[in-house]
Amino acid sequence: MPEYESVIGLETHIQLNTRSKIFCGCKADSWEDDPNVNICPICAGLPGVLPTLNKSVVEKAVLLALAVQADNILPISYLARKNYFYPDLPKGYQISQYAEPLARGGRLIIPSADGEDRVVNIEKLHIEEDAGKTVHQNGKRLIDFNRCGVPLVEMVTAPDIRSADDAAAYLIQLRRLLRWLGISEADMERGQLRCDANVSIRILGEDSLNTKTEIKNINSIENVRAAIKTEVKRQIQTVEAGQTIEAWTLGWDEDTETLRKMRSKETEADYRYFREPDLLPIRIDEEWLLEIKSSLPELPLARQKRFTLDYGLPDYDAAILTEERSLSSYFEATVKLSAGDPKTISNWVMNDVLRLIKEKKISAGGLRLIPKYLAEIIEIVESGMITRGTGKELLVNVEDKGKTPLELVELEGLAQVSDEETLKSMAMTIVDQNPKQVATYKAGKATILGWFVGQLMRATKGRADAKIVQSIFQELLDNDGDLGS
Amino acid sequence: MTDEITKEIFDYLVDLGALEIGEQEGEYLRSELNGQLRAIHELEGIAIDDDIRTTSHGIPYSRVIRAPLREDRIEPCKESDEILAQAADVFERYIVVPDIPSEELE
Amino acid sequence: MSEELCDLSATEISRRVKNGEVTAEEVLDSTLQRIRLVEGRRPSTNPYSPEGDDRNKVHAYISLTEKRARLQARAIDDAVKAGEDPGPLAGVTLAVKDIFCVHGTPTTAGSKILENFISPYSATSVQRLESAGAITVGKVNLDEFTFGSSNESSAFLPPVGNPWDPSRVPGGSSGGSAAAVAAGEAVLSLGTDTAGSIRQPAAFCGVVGIKPTYGRVSRYGLIAFASSIDCPGPIARNVTDAAIALQIMAGSDPFDATAAALSVPDYFSTIEKGIKGMRIGISPDYHKLKFPDPKTGEMCEQSVDEEIAEALSRVLDHLTNAGAEIVENVAMPNTRYGVPAYFVISRVEAASNLHRYDGVKYGYRFDGEVSNLRELYRKTRAHGFGSQAKLRILMGMYVSAEQYEKGYYQRALKIRTLIRNDFVNAFNPEGPYQLDCLLSATTPTTAFKIGAIYGNSVSMQYADLLTVPANHAGIPGLSVPAGVDNAGLPIGIQFLGPDFSEANLLRIGRSYEKASADEPWRRLQPKVLHA
Ligand SMILES: [Zn+2]
């Protein structure tokens, strides 16, 4: 059997997170709202209504085009009508873009563990309106228009992806980028990022494009991976059995983890595209483009790389810290406010701050533990004023109570007990009160030393340096409870 | 004169338009369409210079008359119930339609 | 018949209402009284055959909104009593073409498919006119979805009769509008013009109609036919009234991206200023008309009716006397392509615009058994649309369907540019003609008999031969009455001007109106008023 490679192109639909819909003033986000509440004459397709284009939709789409290094952001692009009958499409046409999309060309880089980054070329990017939802319930077909007119960006890749894993990695990168840019929540489960995959196979080494199948509406990254793997396997089996691949449209059934052929529509799709006469062309002049460009942040991969160079972080750390824009900015702000070692700060952020963020379900930018406070905590831990353990608790306390670290140290007397005389007298008391344990130690069970340390740590609420405490006890017990003077 | 829009083409158009047209009405409509097409074909003989543009509208939308794009503001609509009241079949705020024959999985 | 309140001009009515001489409610009552007198039976979607005095009545209104109108009238009268400004159209009765959405009223588009639709919102034009004090009396008949030039394609029959001879058509598609205004059933009407649908019925009914520049008036709430050319505009009994209405309707609208962001000039600061030194052109291409024989496709040539041509030359005399300079032989070579280009552009857009009528969200839904959604669509649309709508859908499908489309639409759009270039050249201040406006007959004939052309879609479309070029070009056109023919039927002429030159057109129209004020036909009244 020859070796095959898969040829995959992804068509993604990205819900932009604008406040209002693309062509009307209705609220765009209807998550958990009742059906048909966020509708108006315009998005419900009433007779006589007209669309008006939301400026923010263009800006967010252009931002994405810039972020994927689009070769051509068209100075004039057009909205077009895609005509077809479907009950979730109240006008009987979708306002989309066709021959003149917002942007053409571009690329998304997928970093890979083997160090060989893959480049996925973007063919085009355009804006369009979302359709409503159809639901099956009690044997009825029910229509909800809330989602009608929610802004979408359609981004289509070239057939550059060679494995199901790379397809998943592409989506992970895309999701990271969208959230980074702040243009979409990109939650696949909520349909904010949707994916269709075009899949074909060929014998490794050939560069022909064979008949492809289209897998529609896959709703999670894991499902994308599974669906593509299943389809590639099916295609190889089909070809090996001497049969030909037909250009089917397939649906992924999540429950049974199988692909199923979708019945073709009654009429072969003839969308009769033409320019939307109700809207003027979209003009993106130099001035506007510059304005949008100026709001383009440093992108995740660039920042990741810079963190390794500027701060000497391991690539692993840099990747985690730049997973999300707010976290990466948080880290960097802390570094700038602190005299400490970036790697130490990275450890704090990756462990303690990240845990806090996950627990509280907020972003780094929303923490009351602002970078300044984290820098202070790290500093007083490093200086020995408080123990590492106290530092970790303090961090949570700052977040919960909204007070500064130094206030809390003062208020709760958290400063480390570093006065050796105090520690010694406390240790003596413990030795005096526990003759049984002293006898055990004398009998040669040296491990009980830890128990003595623990007692003192408990007495100081952990504010003592365990190493010092241990040496005090050792001396005391070895010298028969008599500290040499 | 042969009909440009044959019966077969006509049936295809009827399908594309989600219509249903009886024999008699169909014959009338088809002959009208062919009459209109004869007029339309007059356009094919016109010489059009390369510099003639296609425009979305007759008037040019120069910078001075172009309306600005809409700002991203929510303007809630109070008439959603009135809109829904126009639908022939509504169930728990959903619009109800008969079953859809296409796109079922096999 | 003596002059009633409903026969007064908008200017006069609002003056009297404002100073308390009459109440808005009295104006409304006078209008309703006239409606009772001339309307005849209310048009409906029931099977129709002419009976009784059907052919002697106007049948302009599909629905009356009397309750709503009375509330409006009382609000105006209250405002007057409270010393508040009731607006420039205080108490002026308005007939709204039933292609505009008016909140809380049946809005049918003259189609069975929208027979039971109650609009949950109002069109911008309607809302502006009502805010200015106009009282919406009802919704007037039209060709189904404006698809026609005679009003006969409406699903609501009896068809509208021309008040000057009710056995004849009022023109279309704003036939109900023009007829209602002519018969005093409203002082003003709101119409739409996609190929001549304001100007042609205005001409047939002896009233004034203006098709503004595309983008001058918001299309929001106007049920779309051909979105790239549809234009709302007023119909009135004199030029000044048309100017008042347009003044209120015009201007940018946050709900219409194609409404021009251009301030509206004060039409009244110039309307009485005369036309001394203006250059007014006439073109042989608007006199000798070429069109294909509907049966054979052979090109025929025909001139505008002789009586209309004679009326036009009397107009020229008046204009010359008023100081205008007449420029003859203006070349408008692409005029004849207006109709075929329109056959393509309007059909592609119309077919798409009619997609939304599917029985799901509003309007008619087929109520028999259906096995699936597709069947519901087909049956609903088959029963809901009339034959003219179906024709437009099918042609739209043909010229845009992937496998038949031979660049028809793109080619037609280029021809639209050619047609526009004719006008650009004529109006170019540095060009060969340097016109302020082009003058022509509005229609090649006067009103034809009901049933004479209906059913022949090609011949019907060529009734728009003289009006449709302005729609392609997007430029404004003003049709004004210019006499009657031997049968006593009104003759209309139109002034076409450059983009956004409405102020000039109104000024020219007004000037002609004054110059011809003494002509005997000015004192004639529509036949229905003598019945
Ligand atoms: Zn809406």
Side-chain angles (χ1 to χ4, degrees):
Chain A
M1 181 171 122
E3 202 176 331
Y4 290 93
E5 77 171 346
S6 35
V7 179
I8 302 158
L10 297 181
E11 189 178 308
T12 48
H13 285 94
I14 300 153
Q15 243 182 38
L16 298 177
N17 58 0
T18 52
R19 285 184 279 271
S20 65
K21 294 185 178 181
I22 184 170
F23 298 124
C24 67
C26 286
K27 182 157 74 82
D29 178 18
S30 293
W31 188 251
E32 290 181 339
D33 281 349
D34 284 342
N36 292 311
V37 288
N38 296 316
I39 60 168
C40 72
I42 298 164
C43 57
L46 258 60
V49 297
L50 299 170
T52 53
L53 180 58
N54 183 338
K55 188 178 175 188
S56 178
V57 170
V58 181
E59 287 173 336
K60 290 188 179 209
V62 169
L63 202 62
L64 179 58
L66 289 167
V68 297
Q69 307 161 51
D71 304 314
N72 187 8
I73 294 173
L74 275 73
I76 298 182
S77 70
Y78 294 85
L79 290 148
R81 289 190 188 176
K82 180 180 182 178
N83 299 285
Y84 64 98
F85 290 96
Y86 208 73
D88 63 6
L89 194 66
K91 299 188 294 297
Y93 54 83
Q94 180 194 28
I95 304 180
S96 179
Q97 297 193 282
Y98 182 55
E100 301 98 345
L102 199 73
R104 285 206 186 92
R107 56 213 51 83
L108 196 71
I109 291 158
I110 311 173
S112 92
D114 59 22
E116 250 182 84
D117 292 350
R118 290 166 178 61
V119 177
V120 177
N121 287 293
I122 309 293
E123 286 186 342
K124 65 157 189 173
L125 179 157
H126 77 228
I127 57 173
E128 62 185 27
E129 60 180 333
D130 207 343
K133 281 185 181 159
T134 67
V135 198
H136 258 307
Q137 196 180 303
N138 304 333
K140 285 180 170 168
R141 267 284 185 170
L142 306 175
I143 315 288
D144 174 12
F145 290 149
N146 279 347
R147 203 178 64 184
C148 286
V150 168
L152 296 179
V153 167
E154 181 183 297
M155 200 159 94
V156 181
T157 77
D160 286 352
I161 299 169
R162 293 288 168 268
S163 73
D165 288 336
D166 279 357
Y170 171 86
L171 288 171
I172 291 168
Q173 263 329 293
L174 177 60
R175 185 177 63 187
R176 178 189 188 191
L177 180 65
L178 295 170
R179 291 176 178 170
W180 189 275
L181 295 171
I183 59 174
S184 172
E185 309 311 323
D187 186 341
M188 282 190 88
E189 277 74 21
R190 286 190 181 193
Q192 291 156 337
L193 177 59
R194 283 169 249 165
C195 180
D196 301 339
N198 290 309
V199 179
S200 64
I201 55 163
R202 66 185 170 204
I203 290 169
L204 191 67
E206 289 185 351
D207 57 4
S208 57
L209 286 176
N210 297 321
T211 306
K212 64 187 182 199
T213 57
E214 188 182 9
I215 314 173
K216 283 270 190 203
N217 298 322
I218 329 173
N219 65 359
S220 78
I221 288 172
E222 274 326 299
N223 283 338
V224 168
R225 199 195 310 264
I228 293 175
K229 275 195 175 142
T230 308
E231 174 57 6
V232 168
K233 200 189 276 175
R234 185 193 71 84
Q235 289 195 9
I236 292 173
Q237 281 168 355
T238 306
V239 172
E240 285 294 309
Q243 292 162 319
T244 50
I245 306 290
E246 284 177 71
W248 287 342
T249 302
L250 301 165
W252 176 248
D253 187 323
E254 213 179 319
D255 300 327
T256 61
E257 301 214 316
T258 50
L259 285 165
R260 294 200 280 175
K261 199 178 142 198
M262 290 167 99
R263 231 179 274 171
S264 60
K265 303 220 168 165
E266 263 185 74
T267 310
E268 271 303 293
D270 182 347
Y271 296 124
R272 306 180 347 267
Y273 281 99
F274 68 99
R275 284 185 191 170
E276 171 55 272
D278 288 334
L279 290 162
L280 301 184
I282 303 171
R283 292 165 194 272
I284 299 164
D285 57 21
E286 200 57 31
E287 195 186 338
W288 196 17
L289 191 60
L290 281 174
E291 200 184 305
I292 300 170
K293 240 180 210 162
S294 71
S295 67
L296 185 70
E298 181 183 32
L299 296 178
L301 287 177
R303 186 166 282 186
Q304 183 178 334
K305 187 151 189 215
R306 188 167 60 75
F307 279 8
T308 63
L309 295 175
D310 288 6
Y311 304 127
L313 294 184
D315 207 47
Y316 175 78
D317 286 38
I320 289 183
L321 291 173
T322 56
E323 179 59 40
E324 199 255 321
R325 183 171 157 200
S326 165
L327 185 72
S328 71
S329 303
Y330 185 93
F331 164 77
E332 193 154 36
T334 311
V335 169
K336 295 218 162 111
L337 289 164
S338 162
D341 168 35
K343 174 57 186 156
T344 305
I345 296 169
S346 162
N347 291 343
W348 278 90
V349 172
M350 290 203 305
N351 297 316
D352 302 284
V353 176
L354 214 48
R355 186 179 314 122
L356 205 56
I357 286 172
K358 285 196 178 124
E359 274 168 17
K360 307 270 168 188
K361 293 196 173 77
I362 51 174
S363 76
L367 289 172
R368 294 207 277 189
L369 175 77
I370 56 177
K372 177 167 176 273
Y373 297 163
L374 178 63
E376 279 173 16
I377 291 171
I378 295 172
E379 216 161 283
I380 56 180
V381 168
E382 292 296 307
S383 72
M385 187 200 232
I386 60 170
T387 63
R388 188 162 305 274
T390 308
K392 284 171 188 281
E393 279 169 30
L394 179 58
L395 183 139
V396 176
N397 265 334
V398 169
E399 181 60 28
D400 287 345
K401 300 188 174 143
K403 293 207 159 66
T404 73
L406 293 175
E407 268 173 352
L408 284 171
V409 166
E410 173 99 347
L411 217 62
E412 303 186 2
L414 297 179
Q416 190 156 309
V417 183
S418 47
D419 171 17
E420 262 188 61
E421 286 313 306
T422 315
L423 290 175
K424 274 179 191 165
S425 87
M426 288 170 84
M428 270 149 82
T429 314
I430 291 169
V431 168
D432 286 349
Q433 287 171 352
N434 296 287
K436 233 171 126 187
Q437 281 77 4
V438 174
T440 310
Y441 183 80
K442 295 286 181 194
K445 256 211 137 173
T447 45
I448 202 159
L449 188 64
W451 182 84
F452 283 102
V453 174
Q455 294 304 302
L456 196 143
M457 292 307 278
R458 200 160 127 182
T460 60
K461 291 186 182 127
R463 285 179 287 125
D465 186 316
K467 270 187 201 145
I468 297 171
V469 172
Q470 187 172 348
S471 69
I472 290 172
F473 273 113
Q474 195 137 29
E475 203 175 334
L476 264 177
L477 293 168
D478 289 350
N479 296 319
D480 270 344
D482 184 19
L483 284 163
S485 46
Chain B
M1 187 177 294
T2 56
D3 284 345
E4 186 171 341
I5 296 184
T6 59
K7 266 202 159 92
E8 289 69 37
I9 294 176
F10 183 81
D11 289 344
Y12 177 79
L13 299 176
V14 168
D15 189 44
L16 208 51
L19 292 168
E20 204 173 73
I21 291 171
E23 188 84 12
Q24 201 184 344
E25 191 183 14
E27 274 316 296
Y28 161 70
L29 294 173
R30 201 161 69 81
S31 87
E32 288 299 306
L33 288 174
N34 283 315
Q36 293 179 11
L37 271 174
R38 283 192 279 278
I40 289 171
H41 287 310
E42 199 198 346
L43 301 178
E44 282 155 27
I46 305 169
I48 299 176
D49 292 345
D50 292 341
D51 61 347
I52 295 297
R53 300 173 307 134
T54 54
T55 57
S56 305
H57 302 93
I59 64 159
Y61 277 87
S62 63
R63 179 178 278 272
V64 277
I65 70 162
R66 281 203 293 273
L69 295 182
R70 182 169 58 81
E71 293 297 331
D72 184 20
R73 260 195 310 272
I74 297 173
E75 310 276 356
C77 164
K78 294 184 230 41
E79 281 79 35
S80 64
D81 290 351
E82 269 181 79
I83 293 170
L84 223 46
Q86 295 303 312
D89 193 353
V90 175
F91 171 75
E92 291 178 347
R93 289 197 73 84
Y94 286 102
I95 293 174
V96 184
V97 296
D99 201 27
I100 304 166
S102 58
E103 76 139 32
E104 300 297 311
L105 295 173
E106 271 180 5
Chain C
M1 186 167 162
S2 66
E3 196 177 65
E4 306 284 341
L5 275 177
C6 62
D7 295 312
L8 298 176
S9 70
T11 338
E12 183 59 19
I13 287 172
S14 70
R15 190 188 66 77
R16 291 194 196 177
V17 168
K18 274 184 204 171
N19 68 18
E21 254 176 87
V22 297
T23 64
E25 211 168 349
E26 284 167 344
V27 181
L28 175 62
D29 285 332
S30 162
T31 305
L32 292 170
Q33 175 62 29
R34 176 63 56 80
I35 290 170
R36 277 190 288 276
L37 193 70
V38 301
E39 265 297 277
R41 63 173 166 141
R42 177 75 29 84
S44 79
T45 58
N46 298 333
Y48 165 74
S49 60
E51 60 184 55
D53 63 354
D54 276 355
R55 286 284 198 263
N56 296 316
K57 297 292 182 183
V58 185
H59 314 289
Y61 284 91
I62 291 181
S63 60
L64 289 178
T65 51
E66 190 176 335
K67 257 193 200 146
R68 195 172 173 280
R70 204 161 289 285
L71 289 175
Q72 284 181 303
R74 286 180 186 155
I76 286 163
D77 291 332
D78 289 346
V80 171
K81 275 184 222 144
E84 291 158 16
D85 181 5
L89 290 177
V92 173
T93 50
L94 173 71
V96 177
K97 184 178 183 180
D98 207 9
I99 199 76
F100 288 94
C101 287
V102 179
H103 195 167
T105 75
T107 297
T108 71
S111 179
K112 192 180 169 204
I113 211 156
L114 281 178
E115 186 174 2
N116 56 10
F117 173 65
I118 310 284
S119 179
Y121 78 104
S122 278
T124 299
S125 287
V126 172
Q127 182 260 316
R128 286 183 181 171
L129 290 168
E130 288 187 341
S131 300
I135 295 164
T136 302
V137 180
K139 310 292 289 291
V140 279
N141 216 337
L142 67 160
D143 284 288
E144 181 177 9
F145 283 102
T146 80
F147 302 152
S149 310
S150 70
N151 250 256
E152 293 161 287
S153 69
S154 176
F156 292 79
L157 299 171
V160 179
N162 190 316
W164 296 83
D165 175 357
S167 70
R168 291 177 183 267
V169 302
S173 62
S174 311
S177 294
V181 170
E185 299 181 85
V187 179
L188 289 176
S189 184
L190 184 53
T192 63
D193 195 315
T194 306
S197 282
I198 286 174
R199 291 163 289 157
Q200 184 252 23
F204 278 11
C205 294
V207 292
V208 174
I210 183 160
K211 172 231 170 293
T213 312
Y214 186 86
R216 178 74 290 181
V217 175
S218 166
R219 290 181 295 121
Y220 188 72
L222 151 61
I223 297 176
F225 168 9
S227 311
S228 73
I229 34 190
D230 289 341
C231 257
I235 290 176
R237 284 190 293 264
N238 64 60
V239 175
T240 310
D241 281 4
I244 301 179
L246 184 62
Q247 187 86 55
I248 290 157
M249 292 160 62
S252 64
D253 178 10
F255 287 98
D256 181 359
T258 63
L262 188 69
S263 62
V264 183
D266 178 1
Y267 298 136
F268 298 96
S269 65
T270 50
I271 197 164
E272 299 291 346
K273 287 201 165 164
I275 52 171
K276 204 165 229 125
M278 281 200 187
R279 292 171 63 82
I280 296 171
I282 50 170
S283 168
D285 298 309
Y286 275 76
H287 179 69
K288 271 204 171 27
L289 312 173
K290 291 200 182 77
F291 58 94
D293 182 289
K295 286 279 161 298
T296 65
E298 301 281 313
M299 288 310 279
C300 315
E301 199 176 272
Q302 192 188 313
S303 300
V304 271
D305 277 2
E306 204 161 309
E307 289 181 77
I308 296 178
E310 282 163 16
L312 196 59
S313 71
R314 284 196 300 276
V315 173
L316 287 174
D317 291 343
H318 283 303
L319 295 172
T320 311
N321 292 339
E325 194 177 329
I326 306 301
V327 181
E328 292 186 53
N329 289 317
V330 177
M332 303 292 286
N334 294 296
T335 306
R336 58 185 279 209
Y337 305 128
V339 170
Y342 181 77
F343 267 134
V344 177
I345 296 169
S346 71
R347 270 50 171 179
V348 170
E349 296 181 9
S352 171
N353 285 327
L354 292 180
H355 261 239
R356 69 186 65 193
Y357 307 102
D358 58 9
V360 172
K361 301 140 294 202
Y362 42 73
Y364 170 76
R365 178 191 279 210
F366 177 71
D367 52 10
E369 272 300 305
V370 292
S371 59
N372 61 49
L373 179 73
R374 186 78 189 171
E375 200 184 339
L376 176 76
Y377 285 167
R378 290 160 175 269
K379 292 253 193 296
T380 297
R381 292 162 62 84
H383 289 87
F385 287 133
S387 62
Q388 293 306 309
K390 287 174 187 161
L391 257 184
R392 275 150 185 85
I393 292 169
L394 295 169
M395 182 54 90
M397 296 293 160
Y398 184 73
V399 293
S400 64
E402 215 171 276
Q403 56 267 65
Y404 307 121
E405 199 267 338
K406 299 176 204 147
Y408 290 116
Y409 187 61
Q410 293 305 316
R411 189 169 188 85
L413 289 179
K414 289 195 173 193
I415 285 155
R416 168 154 90 189
T417 304
L418 291 181
I419 293 168
R420 178 171 169 88
N421 287 349
D422 282 354
F423 288 107
V424 169
N425 185 46
F427 300 138
N428 182 355
E430 273 124 42
Y433 306 114
Q434 303 173 18
L435 301 184
D436 290 289
C437 78
L438 185 80
L439 168 64
S440 81
T442 308
T443 56
T445 67
T446 51
F448 42 87
K449 286 271 186 191
I450 290 173
I453 302 182
Y454 185 62
N456 184 332
S457 61
V458 176
S459 298
M460 187 64 84
Q461 196 72 76
Y462 276 87
D464 299 330
L465 198 61
L466 299 176
T467 43
V468 74
N471 297 82
H472 283 303
I475 61 163
L478 169 70
S479 179
V480 298
V484 292
D485 68 5
N486 284 332
L489 297 170
I491 290 168
I493 53 153
Q494 62 173 349
F495 300 99
L496 306 174
D499 298 347
F500 302 104
S501 66
E502 288 82 359
N504 247 0
L505 295 185
L506 292 164
R507 177 175 168 183
I508 296 164
R510 173 70 188 131
S511 196
Y512 163 68
E513 199 174 62
K514 277 196 285 192
S516 60
D518 292 336
E519 292 206 1
W521 61 267
R522 287 265 179 210
R523 286 182 294 282
L524 297 175
Q525 276 191 321
K527 193 161 117 189
V528 285
L529 299 185
H530 305 288

